[in-house]
Amino acid sequence: MYRFLLTPRWWGINVFVLLAIPFCIFMGSWQLSRFEDRMQDQQTVTAQAESGKQVAARPLAELLPVDKATSGRLVTATGHYDRQLLVPDRELDDKAGYYVLTLLRTDGGKALPVVRGWLPGTPDPAKVPAAPTGEVTVTGALQASETPGSNGVSAQGGLPAGQTGAISAASLVNLVPYDVYDAWVTLSEADSGMTAVPAAAPADTGLDLKAFQNLGYTGEWFVFAGFVVFMWFRLLRREIEFLRDAELGLVPDEEPVAVDVGSR
């Protein structure tokens, strides 16, 4: 009765099933590993943030370039404040406001973007406290350059003079006549009259929408694997039932095709 499994049609079905099931399981396992990696990164970032509060700040050059291991670490840098820009559409404690970003010219000539603090409302240069003059040493959390259009960073252009949508070397290099570090710092203690901006977790490390999408895709791939098995058994059962009906003569014979010979 099961000889039909050796027919070309069923050979094709069996080969497809044997390839589809491992593929679905592999993809589901891969998506699950991506979710687990994000969970591990989240735990690492949380532990790093807690330990970073107790670890002494290190010179900027020792922690560059910024990666998952150095993001959020305390750094120090010395220089003179120069150009000041406002970063609109930034929320803090569910309140709309903007960052006050000032470029710190270091001894090496390059500038370090420093977020001196946050102010509520719409950007208004008149309300921003003036940056300290003379040589200053800043201490704050190291952050990677932002990417416009991701993690809530505005990608809009055409901002008024004195504003920037993203804190990134690629954006700032077009606004100032000197090189800019591919990183930025948010002060541990904001300058007078402003609120300190907390350090953000590195990209692709938090339990955000992408993380739960990975978990959802995991379930989908395993469901696909189960569906393939279910359909194979369903086809097998239908084939067996058809053969049994044929043996019992329950399958109707095809009616002969009538030929109209009178029209010839």
Side-chain angles (χ1 to χ4, degrees), residues 1-4 239-253:
M1 180 174 292
Y2 293 96
R3 292 178 181 176
F4 64 86
E239 192 79 18
I240 294 174
E241 290 175 349
F242 178 82
L243 292 176
R244 286 176 178 173
D245 290 345
E247 290 178 355
L248 296 174
L250 300 178
V251 178
D253 296 331

Side-chain angles (χ1 to χ4, degrees), residues 86-92 95-100 118-124 146 150-157 159-160 163-166:
L86 305 182
V87 187
D89 301 325
R90 298 303 175 105
E91 291 188 356
L92 187 62
K95 297 180 181 178
Y98 56 97
Y99 292 170
V100 177
W118 174 91
L119 289 173
T122 56
D124 185 356
E146 296 178 334
S150 64
N151 297 327
V153 178
S154 175
Q156 67 174 342
L159 292 173
Q163 295 186 23
T164 181

Side-chain angles (χ1 to χ4, degrees), residues 177-191:
Y178 38 77
D179 292 334
V180 179
Y181 281 103
D182 190 20
W184 58 283
V185 168
T186 174
L187 295 184
S188 301
E189 297 182 3
D191 285 346

